[in-house]
Amino acid sequence: MKLVFSLALAALGSSLQAQDSTKPNPLTFSGYVEGYYSYDLNKPVNNTRPGFIYNYNRHNEVNLNLGFVKAAYTNDRVRANLAIGAGTYMNSNYAAEPGVLKNVFEANAGIKLAKTRNLWFDIGIMPSHIGFEGAIGKDNWTTTRSLVAENSPYFQGGAKLGYTTDNGMFSASVLALNGWQRITRVEGNSMISFGSQITVKPSDKMTLNYSTFFGTDKPDSARLFRTYHNVYGIFQLSKVIGLTAGFDIGTEEKSVSDNGVNTWYTPVAILRFTPAEKIAFAVRGEYFRDQNGVIIATGTANGFETVGLSVNIDYLPLPNAMLRLEFRNLNNGDQIYANKSGNAARSNAAVTLSAAVSF
């Protein structure tokens, strides 16, 4: 009898171990590497593309736009992410951050505040809540980023309280932030900034989003209050055609003593065609108007007023690999683009090739 009992316990223990082994590991590791070659037809002498472009911004050289390794921990009540990155994207976007923070792509921790509701509190360095384009190129419809994405936050340091319905059709969050794409607040600034986001998904073919930013990115002695509104929709019009359309508008006080505001705005639309599983095409049209140089200063009479058009083709040989080629042209009302001869031109055109692998 004792022998039978012992054998039964052993069998039960083996069964439990087998069941435990089927549970997903809460700790996972991943990575991403995206190399590129970009040729600017204006042939800038310093081999750097215009200053308002923060991705693929080196001319006529093979380089790394973004590479990172990431550790993520997730269970029913807690989550955490840590990713360390390198590349010209990191060099350009994290230039204002001190020390090792220049290489922190993501570092945040989250706690689920309710057992039966998707109510989470997250804090740390996290992707921006603004915009439909992010730093990871393969997740975007176009090779290069839209002007609106390049000139609004890609990341943010702060805290977020977010809620998502069980069916995923509605989510909302409020955020306390260190500033406009800041991990470390501007020296002399004692004010926290704030943000919000509402996302509605009426069906699996439609996503509607509204995000905001309220705050300042200046020291107290020169505080200028900034507001920003980001609205976009993503629509799957048919099996092979998708449309993303957005409109952003921002205002910032003209001066400490002037109650008036400077305004900038930018509409953008991307039409994507996927005629086959491994092939995709996209056409993008965009317009960016910043007459007073709040975001993009030109020093010219009419400021930054640029119309952009791009076309790209994507090839996906494997589910985790993407090869892309894009032609893009930007045209401004004033001559703001430097060229090899040292003169200024109204237009800037570039061809960009990129290859990305996720693992």
Side-chain angles (χ1 to χ4, degrees), residues 295-315:
I295 301 297
I296 305 174
T298 65
T300 59
N302 298 303
F304 189 78
E305 185 180 12
T306 289
V307 176
L309 178 67
S310 72
V311 293
N312 69 276
I313 179 172
D314 303 340
Y315 173 57

Side-chain angles (χ1 to χ4, degrees), residues 219-240:
D220 293 348
S221 59
R223 177 178 294 167
L224 302 177
F225 193 76
R226 176 179 296 181
T227 66
Y228 193 78
H229 303 272
N230 160 241
V231 181
Y232 68 82
I234 303 173
F235 311 93
Q236 194 62 42
L237 303 178
S238 70
K239 185 178 179 180
V240 298

Side-chain angles (χ1 to χ4, degrees), residues 34 36 54-58 63-68 84-94 102-103:
E34 182 181 53
Y36 73 98
Y54 300 93
N55 285 272
Y56 319 104
N57 59 2
R58 294 293 296 168
N63 216 315
L64 171 70
N65 186 59
L66 175 62
F68 65 80
I84 305 301
T88 55
Y89 163 88
M90 300 294 295
N91 292 343
S92 298
N93 286 283
Y94 289 72
K102 292 181 183 294
N103 295 101

Side-chain angles (χ1 to χ4, degrees), residues 151-173:
N151 296 280
S152 59
Y154 280 115
F155 63 89
Q156 54 202 9
K160 177 173 71 173
L161 182 65
Y163 170 74
T164 303
T165 56
D166 291 338
N167 60 13
M169 296 179 65
F170 174 84
S171 63
S173 61

Side-chain angles (χ1 to χ4, degrees), residues 99-118:
V100 297
L101 290 179
K102 292 181 183 294
N103 295 101
V104 180
F105 181 73
E106 188 177 357
N108 52 73
I111 299 174
K112 190 177 182 182
L113 301 181
K115 288 184 178 181
T116 59
R117 294 288 184 269
N118 292 316

Side-chain angles (χ1 to χ4, degrees), residues 136-187:
I136 301 175
K138 73 175 185 61
D139 295 337
N140 301 321
W141 284 9
T142 58
T143 308
T144 61
R145 311 298 183 267
S146 303
L147 292 173
V148 63
E150 292 281 51
N151 296 280
S152 59
Y154 280 115
F155 63 89
Q156 54 202 9
K160 177 173 71 173
L161 182 65
Y163 170 74
T164 303
T165 56
D166 291 338
N167 60 13
M169 296 179 65
F170 174 84
S171 63
S173 61
V174 292
L175 305 97
L177 304 167
N178 291 337
W180 180 264
Q181 188 164 282
R182 296 282 183 181
I183 299 174
T184 305
R185 270 192 303 168
V186 173
E187 186 173 350

Side-chain angles (χ1 to χ4, degrees), residues 177-222:
L177 304 167
N178 291 337
W180 180 264
Q181 188 164 282
R182 296 282 183 181
I183 299 174
T184 305
R185 270 192 303 168
V186 173
E187 186 173 350
N189 176 19
S190 63
M191 180 179 177
I192 291 290
S193 297
F194 298 93
S196 66
Q197 182 177 24
I198 296 174
T199 304
V200 181
K201 298 180 179 180
S203 71
D204 58 356
K205 297 181 179 180
M206 181 186 301
T207 299
L208 304 174
N209 185 90
Y210 173 53
S211 300
T212 66
F213 173 90
F214 303 96
T216 183
D217 206 44
K218 304 287 193 301
D220 293 348
S221 59

Side-chain angles (χ1 to χ4, degrees), residues 113-132:
L113 301 181
K115 288 184 178 181
T116 59
R117 294 288 184 269
N118 292 316
L119 180 65
W120 287 82
F121 175 76
D122 296 278
I123 191 167
I125 303 164
M126 62 192 77
S128 173
H129 68 292
I130 294 174
F132 56 84

